[in-house]
Amino acid sequence: MGTREQTPYDRILNAGVTLFAQKGFAGTTTREIVNEAGASLSSLQQCFGSKENIYIEAVSRAMKAYEERMAEPIKLAEKYDELGM
């Protein structure tokens, strides 16, 4: 993030994303997430409330990024479809 320091929210979310990718949801603990993030369990509770909410936010962000990347190719495909190509 450039020179700006990440917030505890961002650090916890990024750590969750990394650990979920490596170990899966069930294989990742909240303690592992906060250790990876350099945060505390109370910060995790304050920012997200639960491991499930970290996962939901991570999936939501991934889906939004995917939708943004696919917007132009979808528009192009729809245009070609309208033109019968």
Side-chain angles (χ1 to χ4, degrees):
M1 283 188 95
T3 59
R4 197 176 92 193
E5 188 175 321
Q6 288 186 324
T7 65
Y9 182 95
D10 292 327
R11 291 194 325 266
I12 292 167
L13 180 60
N14 292 336
V17 167
T18 299
L19 291 168
F20 294 146
Q22 292 172 352
K23 302 172 85 174
F25 176 81
T28 300
T29 67
T30 54
R31 287 195 188 279
E32 290 172 321
I33 294 170
V34 296
N35 286 339
E36 177 78 16
S40 66
L41 283 172
S42 62
S43 291
L44 184 147
Q45 288 294 321
Q46 186 176 23
C47 292
F48 292 96
S50 68
K51 177 175 82 166
E52 291 81 2
N53 289 336
I54 298 170
Y55 188 78
I56 289 167
E57 179 63 19
V59 170
S60 294
R61 285 189 177 189
M63 291 301 299
K64 183 178 179 186
Y66 176 77
E67 289 170 359
E68 288 172 359
R69 277 194 314 272
M70 293 305 295
E72 284 303 314
I74 289 171
K75 285 180 189 177
L76 184 59
E78 289 170 346
K79 182 172 179 100
Y80 285 152
D81 188 47
E82 289 172 6
L83 297 172
M85 299 174 91

